[in-house]
Amino acid sequence: MTSSAEKWYQQVRQQTLALTEDLSAEDMVVQSMPDASPAKWHLAHTSWFFEHFILQPYFQNYQCFNHHYQYLFNSYYDTVGSRHARPQRGLLSRPPLSDIMQYRQHVDSHISILLRQQHPAITDLLTIGLHHEMQHQELLLTDILHLLSHNPLAPALLAAQSQPSLNAAAAVSMICFDGGMAEIGAEAGSFSYDCENPRHSVYLAPFKLAHRPVTNAEWQDFISDGGYQNPLLWLSDGWHYCQSANWQAPLYWRNLDQQWHSFGFSGNQPLLPSAPVCHISYYEADAYARWAGKRLPREQEWEYATNLTQPPLQQANFLEQHIWQPTACSSQPNMEKLFGDVWEWCQSPYSAYPGFKPAQGALAEYNGKFMANQFVLRGGSCVSARQQLRSSYRNFFHPQQRWQFSGIRLAEDQ
């Protein structure tokens, strides 16, 4: 009889493969930039994770599928050993995709055997491994979109989505929160990463948070008002990136026949004015907030507001919806889209909570060592797996990075 753990394992692993069904073998080997990885590498690395951290230590007399994979598909675990350089992952035309698919089957069959033995030591590792794979499902889609955006044919993986609303979103309302003492961080009894812990008390001054994210239409106003040409709006490092990369609009915006379009999984499509703006850097988000006379929320404010309003996760636009683009904001001034559609930049640096202790053992390198020079994003996006998200979840990226499904919600002091 298949256990609930095995069913969950199979569901997550099959969901990863389903994301690649419309990709060619050529799509899956190419790397568009050093920050991205080929789809084939994602398929292999997530299998390596289960092989290295579960099968090798706990499956008696386990035989590795290919001992070279230890080097090829390790990501950043220095304690594990040397690894293939990340910027060169797109050069791995060998092993072929067929071998990687056999590798996944090899790992899956052995994990199934181990789960049927009900080995108690692997329970927590399996949970981390499945959440890790869900993170890579999001990265796989994000990286494929970046790759396809460089193709002059503007190829589409999905049929064009019917735009649910061409009406303007409701005028932004700033919702008041009293603040005070708040409990921040993961609650006991459910899965969380080490960086979400320990749960702790913080004092929040009264603040206001926009009832919805900034929309494409509002971002067009920022562009029209010279937002990308005014250095007074930008942090110094942000202005440097803006000028050196010649930023004029969000990453995938295209001005075609005097009309803004956005490249997505349906190819180039006319911009949906009421959808949240997407694929912007922290620097752009900060500049927009200054232009609007507001600021970015602190991550504790975002989590506090989410815990108070408790938006239902099951209604949010996540990966499972198979839309894979931000959807229109409502014409009603209700608190919305705290989860799904776009990750929301916070002004908070990604750093340790008071009393933080990194995970110990084999996975000690998972989160803690990245707590420098990055900023927190909250809420998940249209390519995040629903099971992956919770109010305490902390995503983090460098402030100049734009290929993620990242957007902005405004905040201000009361």
Side-chain angles (χ1 to χ4, degrees):
M1 182 176 179
T2 304
S3 66
S4 58
E6 188 175 358
K7 287 179 181 177
W8 186 29
Y9 178 85
Q10 292 171 353
Q11 181 266 321
V12 172
R13 296 283 281 175
Q14 289 168 3
Q15 182 166 270
T16 303
L17 290 180
L19 301 179
T20 68
E21 287 179 353
D22 295 322
L23 300 178
S24 68
E26 292 82 359
D27 289 331
M28 296 177 67
V29 74
V30 182
Q31 180 178 16
S32 57
M33 64 171 175
D35 284 339
S37 297
K40 185 177 77 171
W41 187 91
H42 286 296
L43 295 179
H45 168 70
T46 50
S47 301
W48 170 87
F49 190 96
F50 288 108
E51 181 177 65
H52 180 80
F53 292 113
I54 295 181
L55 292 178
Q56 289 184 19
Y58 297 107
F59 194 104
Q60 189 173 9
N61 300 320
Y62 176 73
Q63 297 295 315
C64 288
F65 181 81
N66 186 320
H67 71 276
H68 293 297
Y69 289 9
Q70 182 79 358
Y71 172 81
L72 292 179
F73 302 122
N74 177 9
S75 55
Y76 52 71
Y77 296 92
D78 293 309
T79 56
V80 167
S82 59
R83 59 194 186 277
H84 186 71
R86 178 174 181 171
Q88 298 177 9
R89 290 172 183 170
L91 301 179
L92 295 174
S93 59
R94 303 294 178 92
L97 179 60
S98 58
D99 284 12
I100 300 306
M101 292 304 187
Q102 291 177 25
Y103 180 39
R104 286 183 70 88
Q105 293 172 3
H106 174 85
V107 169
D108 290 349
S109 63
H110 285 79
I111 289 288
S112 292
I113 293 171
L114 202 56
L115 289 174
R116 289 166 188 168
Q117 295 173 354
Q118 298 184 333
H119 200 304
I122 73 168
T123 300
D124 290 343
L125 287 171
L126 183 79
T127 299
I128 292 175
L130 292 174
H131 279 268
H132 168 263
E133 178 132 353
M134 287 186 279
Q135 288 178 314
H136 277 272
Q137 290 169 359
E138 178 170 358
L139 287 170
L140 188 155
L141 287 175
T142 308
D143 293 350
I144 281 293
L145 181 61
H146 189 266
L147 170 66
L148 296 179
S149 74
H150 288 275
N151 191 314
L153 300 178
L157 288 183
L158 301 177
Q161 302 285 333
S162 59
Q163 295 187 345
S165 173
L166 293 177
N167 297 324
V172 67
S173 297
M174 301 301 292
I175 309 299
C176 295
F177 293 91
D178 293 335
M181 296 303 297
E183 292 296 309
I184 300 299
E187 296 186 14
S190 58
F191 173 78
S192 61
Y193 289 117
D194 56 1
C195 64
E196 301 170 52
N197 295 284
R199 191 166 174 83
H200 59 287
S201 298
V202 299
Y203 175 78
L204 298 177
F207 67 96
K208 296 179 183 180
L209 195 64
H211 85 280
R212 57 161 174 76
V214 171
T215 64
N216 288 326
E218 290 166 331
W219 201 270
Q220 286 180 271
D221 293 338
F222 173 67
I223 294 173
S224 298
D225 197 43
Y228 282 94
Q229 288 76 47
N230 184 354
L232 297 179
L233 299 174
W234 294 76
L235 296 169
S236 177
D237 284 348
W239 184 245
H240 165 75
Y241 276 100
C242 180
Q243 293 297 291
S244 60
N246 193 30
W247 291 346
Q248 300 292 331
L251 177 60
Y252 297 130
W253 284 28
R254 311 279 191 264
N255 198 328
L256 304 174
D257 299 324
Q258 305 303 309
Q259 181 182 4
W260 282 113
H261 289 64
S262 180
F263 179 81
F265 288 108
S266 299
N268 286 322
Q269 296 294 322
L271 206 62
L272 179 59
S274 56
V277 68
C278 193
H279 301 296
I280 58 171
S281 67
Y282 174 88
Y283 291 135
E284 289 166 286
D286 180 80
Y288 179 94
R290 193 171 289 109
W291 172 80
K294 312 292 184 185
R295 62 170 172 83
L296 298 181
R298 301 177 180 95
E299 65 167 320
Q300 295 85 357
E301 294 171 337
W302 189 98
E303 185 172 330
Y304 174 78
T306 304
N307 289 335
L308 279 183
T309 57
Q310 295 187 327
L313 277 167
Q314 65 271 19
Q315 295 180 13
N317 178 24
F318 286 125
L319 175 145
E320 293 85 353
Q321 299 293 103
H322 301 287
I323 297 174
W324 301 348
Q325 66 178 13
T327 54
C329 293
S330 170
S331 58
Q332 301 297 318
N334 301 316
M335 202 77 183
E336 61 174 314
K337 295 187 182 294
L338 281 162
F339 287 106
D341 280 295
V342 294
W343 287 100
E344 299 179 9
W345 283 109
C346 297
Q347 67 169 238
S348 305
Y350 177 56
S351 58
Y353 285 161
F356 168 75
K357 294 181 180 179
Q360 299 302 302
L363 292 172
E365 298 181 83
Y366 199 87
N367 284 308
K369 74 177 189 178
F370 299 111
M371 291 178 173
N373 306 320
Q374 306 199 61
F375 284 84
V376 172
L377 302 96
R378 293 294 194 118
S381 80
C382 55
V383 293
S384 304
R386 182 180 288 109
Q387 293 181 68
Q388 183 187 344
L389 269 294
R390 52 200 166 270
S391 63
S392 61
Y393 189 99
R394 309 172 77 197
N395 200 359
F396 51 92
F397 282 98
H398 292 285
Q400 76 277 11
Q401 292 174 315
R402 310 206 297 165
W403 93 111
Q404 293 300 318
F405 284 77
S406 48
I408 169 179
R409 184 184 300 264
L410 295 173
E412 64 180 344
D413 300 324
Q414 283 199 45

